[in-house]
Amino acid sequence: MTSPVDQLSDPAVRAFAAAPNANDQTSLFEALTPAATMSDDGSRRDLREWLNWEVFGSRGHMDVVSESDGGHGLVADYRNDTWRSMGTKWLFTVDGGKVSRLETGQA
């Protein structure tokens, strides 16, 4: 069952996940620590570059299917204009109320 992002348990993850759906780049970057890092399918990526390409440059949208690990793990149906729709997993590390690490990949 799909869960709205505004009901996610962790406020930092909730802010991160809601921003693409609202096409709100400012809010998404505000949800991150200044030195936040990420990996995509196990490969290190430049987080800001990846977000600009995979999310904002291609109209990304996340429908959360489930959450785990106190809200730090998500399974979502993610879609954008480049890849269309796919099942994805998202693991977040949160420090000081902001996302410091993101790991994503196909579910």
Side-chain angles (χ1 to χ4, degrees), residues 51-89:
L51 290 169
N52 284 327
W53 176 260
E54 296 284 345
V55 177
F56 296 107
S58 60
R59 297 186 317 144
H61 187 89
M62 180 185 297
D63 289 319
V64 175
V65 175
S66 65
E67 72 173 329
S68 59
D69 192 25
H72 295 158
L74 303 178
V75 172
D77 180 22
Y78 184 77
R79 65 184 181 275
N80 66 25
D81 290 345
T82 303
W83 305 109
R84 302 293 175 215
S85 182
M86 71 177 82
T88 55
K89 61 184 175 188

Side-chain angles (χ1 to χ4, degrees), residues 38 40 46-55 90 104:
M38 77 159 298
D40 182 4
D46 178 284
L47 178 58
R48 293 179 188 279
E49 211 173 87
W50 185 89
L51 290 169
N52 284 327
W53 176 260
E54 296 284 345
V55 177
W90 303 74
T104 189

Side-chain angles (χ1 to χ4, degrees), residues 8-31:
L8 295 174
S9 300
D10 186 280
V13 173
R14 185 170 55 242
F16 180 97
N21 296 356
N23 196 35
D24 187 346
Q25 190 169 5
T26 301
S27 290
L28 192 140
F29 288 125
E30 286 175 353

